[in-house]
Amino acid sequence: MSSQPLTGPPELSPSVQARLAPPVRLLSAGPWTARPVGDELAHVSYAGREVLRAVKAVVRDHNWRTPKPSVRNVEIKQDDDGLQVRWAVAFAGYGVEYDGQLTAEFTPTTVEISFEGAAVHAFRSNRIGLVVLHSPAETGREITVEHPDGGSTAAQFPHDISPHQPFTDIAALEWADAGTAFRLSFTGDVFETEDQRNWTDASFKTYSTPLSLPFPVAVAAGDTVRQSVLLETATLEPQEAVEAAAVAARVASSLPTAVSARIGAEAGRVPALAVGAGSQPGVLPEIPGLDALVVELVDEENDADRSLWADRLEAAAAAASIHGAGLDIRAVTADPVGAVADLAPYLPQAKRLAVFHPDTHITEPDSWPALKESAHAAGFGGSLLAGTRAHFTELNRESSRTPSDSDALTFSITPQMHSTEAAHVIDSVPMQRLVAQNALRLGGGRPVHVGPVTLLPRFNAVATSGTESEAEADELQGEPFTAAWTLASINALTMDGVASVSYFEASGPTGISGADGQLNPAGELLKELAGLRDSVVLSVDADAGPVTLYPVRSRAGLVIFAGNLSGSPVTVDVRLPDGVSASGAVCAAFGQETPAVIRFSTNNDGDPAAGRLTLGPWSAGVVHFPESNFPAPG
């Protein structure tokens, strides 16, 4: 192995660089620390303990879309009395122009964030104002909800993902943590809290205005919104402890550059992997072991006879035969029986079939018996799925209406329903595991087919205008970052009961290959993993921070997939299973030059099973160990 150091971050466009590594500044005032990141005041911490994940202002249009915020004119003033931060945020997009001014004032016992915003011109809006994000680590914490009428309610942050708002009619929230009491009060509107884990956001969100009030509302040019949130502490710790905790928080907040990991016994199996067919499935190069191509078919007004469905299905069926894969058909129609009649020629080849209503995006129970009967009469012998084409949210909220005799459940995942910041996209990964566990709970033991998993939403599931925007492409789609994120997602979704996971599309801006048939980094990862379907995945005992290790015991020996979701090189000291030699490893990077991105070497401590893995920034790759090092069982 070369002794040359790994290179720094890969060459990135300015916009991608800004997404992956936005400027971050640590604010410190007495016991408080916080980090301005983009338009958020993030990681508001007291004496080294995070109290609020973030506070930010949001503007949503009538279809719940978020005009892009841009930050300007940041002013920071600090003196003996405390710290004041002011910044302007301009929101623009979807026909909306809105200007806001935010101020954060820190004193030894309080943090107050104020917002004043005004519309540049008239538009319709579903929400304008401050939102507070609470960490998912708050799960189970007891809290007191104070109401505008002076009353209060004892509650707690839910363990299972709550389908509806756990706290409503909020004037203030009170709780205690490690001997310190906190009170978070709101002015300018009535607030409520929702469980954003439904959308794989790593947060609970307290926001205004209550959803029980009518929306959208007309906003006239010049209309102004004024809100504030005040975070107070009831007690102070000794100053020496406060200062020590603040220092510890600054140290702990930095990304690790060296971690250790021990690979253990069987922890699961590589799930079946599928890919969305998209509009050009034939462009995708052969992927042996691919489970299925997911074909999404939506009733269109200009396609009354569904002739476009036939074209899509013909192309997908031809492509699927190249991969030795099946079809996973997802139809969106108010006429399930008629749709099945049109699908009949392709149903014998289909592994899975699901039908969703175009208005609710779920499998409607009233039409389920007829759908089931007509599908079986048409010769369909695969798994008939129920659930939603949208987020886990819809499955969670409509669980009582989901047909109980389906063969399996399904829902989709996108990490950017509410935020596009890279940190939120990364933090969605453990929430993916949580929503899958909750789906298995709702299904009562039925298997779950997750996907499509996409970086951006495929359609607007909450539009109020009755129209859907077409799927947008994320500039990160073809980056090695997305391979590392996809590996982390597969790792999170590797569990008993998750029968398959589908990712992205075959080709194009939202796909895993280009028009020339060349796989992008995420496509290279999926191709390698698809061939290991149902192979044993080994456990990893590690506090690996931004690193994902996914060890697979294959017939060709031990394979370790690795990803680094950080902008710094990372070293991992790896202890392989007993009897496995760390020598002879062969590395390959996905989408980047291998020697500059991933390396594996034996340690010089006399332990033949000890090795050292090095990963470059925002990278993913794989390490193959010879079969003689790890003979396959049986």
Side-chain angles (χ1 to χ4, degrees):
M1 183 183 103
S2 171
S3 61
Q4 295 296 315
L6 292 180
T7 60
E11 290 293 328
L12 302 172
S13 69
S15 59
V16 169
Q17 178 67 27
R19 283 278 302 281
L20 295 181
V24 178
R25 175 172 180 171
L26 177 68
L27 302 175
S28 180
W32 301 102
T33 58
R35 293 177 180 271
V37 182
D39 62 321
E40 295 184 344
L41 185 66
H43 307 295
V44 179
S45 302
Y46 178 82
R49 301 188 302 276
E50 184 175 280
V51 183
L52 303 177
R53 178 156 191 232
V55 182
K56 64 191 296 185
V58 300
V59 176
R60 311 287 195 208
D61 79 349
H62 63 288
N63 280 326
W64 292 107
R65 296 174 299 188
T66 303
K68 184 178 180 179
S70 59
V71 177
R72 60 195 182 196
N73 302 331
V74 179
E75 300 176 2
I76 301 175
K77 298 179 180 180
Q78 191 159 18
D79 54 32
D80 293 340
D81 296 326
L83 172 70
Q84 183 186 81
V85 186
R86 293 173 59 87
W87 66 102
V89 182
F91 300 87
Y94 307 111
V96 175
E97 290 185 45
Y98 197 92
D99 290 335
Q101 183 75 42
L102 290 100
T103 303
E105 297 192 41
F106 295 78
T107 74
T109 59
T110 65
V111 178
E112 184 171 19
I113 299 101
S114 303
F115 167 71
E116 181 172 330
V120 176
H121 56 69
F123 69 102
R124 291 190 302 152
S125 173
N126 289 346
R127 177 174 301 150
I128 300 173
L130 290 171
V131 300
V132 176
L133 302 183
H134 313 266
S135 167
E138 299 293 336
T139 296
R141 183 180 299 283
E142 295 182 352
I143 196 163
T144 298
V145 181
E146 296 183 8
H147 305 298
D149 63 4
S152 64
T153 302
Q156 68 173 205
F157 283 98
H159 289 277
D160 290 335
I161 299 176
S162 177
H164 303 290
Q165 283 68 14
F167 315 139
T168 59
D169 196 27
I170 299 171
L173 301 172
E174 290 188 349
W175 69 97
D177 179 28
T180 302
F182 296 95
R183 185 174 192 272
L184 181 66
S185 56
F186 304 85
T187 59
D189 206 338
V190 177
F191 285 67
E192 62 188 20
T193 302
E194 71 183 6
D195 193 338
Q196 287 204 134
R197 300 176 301 172
N198 277 291
W199 295 272
T200 68
D201 293 51
S203 61
F204 301 93
K205 179 175 71 179
T206 300
Y207 61 90
S208 66
T209 307
L211 290 176
S212 58
L213 298 180
F215 62 86
V217 298
V219 179
D223 280 359
T224 300
V225 171
R226 296 181 180 88
Q227 293 181 357
S228 65
V229 297
L230 176 63
L231 178 61
E232 303 171 271
T233 59
T235 58
L236 280 174
E237 296 179 305
Q239 188 62 29
E240 295 81 8
V242 168
E243 292 172 353
V247 171
R250 286 193 286 273
V251 173
S253 65
S254 61
L255 288 172
T257 58
V259 295
S260 60
R262 176 179 290 272
I263 296 176
E266 179 175 344
R269 299 272 175 162
V270 177
L273 296 174
V275 174
S279 59
Q280 292 184 300
V283 173
L284 185 66
E286 183 180 359
I287 299 182
L290 188 69
D291 177 62
L293 286 177
V294 178
V295 188
E296 294 190 273
L297 305 166
V298 181
D299 266 344
E300 304 285 354
E301 292 182 5
N302 61 350
D303 187 30
D305 61 355
R306 300 193 181 100
S307 60
L308 296 179
W309 282 25
D311 295 340
R312 294 276 309 280
L313 286 163
E314 286 286 352
S321 65
I322 295 174
H323 306 286
L327 293 179
D328 183 333
I329 302 174
R330 313 289 178 97
V332 183
T333 177
D335 177 23
V337 174
V340 166
D342 291 328
L343 296 172
Y346 308 93
L347 292 181
Q349 187 182 348
K351 286 189 171 184
R352 296 180 284 276
L353 171 66
V355 177
F356 313 109
H357 195 280
D359 295 333
T360 62
H361 309 298
I362 67 169
T363 306
E364 287 290 344
D366 291 345
S367 59
W368 174 257
L371 167 65
K372 186 175 179 180
E373 180 180 356
S374 60
H376 291 159
F380 175 66
S383 294
L384 193 58
L385 312 183
T388 178
R389 66 184 292 233
H391 317 277
F392 171 76
T393 316
E394 283 71 30
L395 181 65
N396 200 16
R397 291 177 175 173
E398 302 292 343
S399 61
S400 63
R401 300 180 63 235
T402 302
S404 60
D405 60 341
S406 67
D407 296 315
L409 296 182
T410 188
F411 65 93
S412 298
I413 286 176
T414 173
Q416 298 185 77
M417 175 63 181
H418 298 109
S419 297
T420 61
E421 292 86 352
H424 291 279
V425 175
I426 294 168
D427 289 347
S428 75
V429 169
M431 300 302 102
Q432 293 182 29
R433 185 171 186 83
L434 184 64
V435 296
Q437 290 169 336
N438 275 255
L440 289 167
R441 171 181 58 83
L442 295 175
R446 282 174 287 174
V448 172
H449 295 271
V450 180
V453 179
T454 55
L455 287 181
L456 283 169
R458 308 184 325 281
F459 66 99
N460 188 348
V462 292
T464 61
S465 65
T467 60
E468 296 182 1
S469 59
E470 293 191 7
E472 299 178 27
D474 194 303
E475 60 190 344
L476 299 176
Q477 184 69 43
E479 297 289 336
F481 167 90
T482 299
W485 183 84
T486 302
L487 176 63
S489 171
I490 293 171
N491 183 51
L493 295 171
T494 297
M495 67 181 76
D496 290 343
V498 174
S500 76
V501 189
S502 64
Y503 286 92
F504 310 124
E505 288 188 347
S507 64
T510 59
I512 64 170
S513 68
D516 59 356
Q518 183 75 29
L519 291 171
N520 61 28
E524 293 177 10
L525 166 71
L526 290 171
K527 179 177 181 178
E528 184 106 15
L529 269 172
L532 297 173
R533 175 182 174 180
D534 204 37
S535 295
V536 170
V537 178
L538 302 176
S539 65
V540 177
D541 183 9
D543 181 14
V547 176
T548 300
L549 295 181
Y550 192 75
V552 179
R553 189 174 67 200
S554 74
R555 292 192 174 277
L558 176 65
V559 183
I560 300 179
F561 294 84
N564 177 14
L565 284 171
S566 79
S568 301
V570 177
T571 298
V572 186
D573 288 323
V574 181
R575 178 57 165 80
L576 302 176
D578 290 339
V580 179
S581 172
S583 62
V586 177
C587 301
F590 299 127
Q592 292 177 269
E593 183 182 349
T594 293
V597 173
I598 181 170
R599 301 172 188 167
F600 191 91
S601 63
T602 56
N603 281 348
N604 296 320
D605 60 2
D607 184 350
R612 175 162 290 175
L613 173 70
T614 53
L615 283 168
W618 311 120
S619 66
V622 60
V623 184
H624 292 268
F625 295 86
E627 181 179 0
S628 59
N629 288 13
F630 197 167

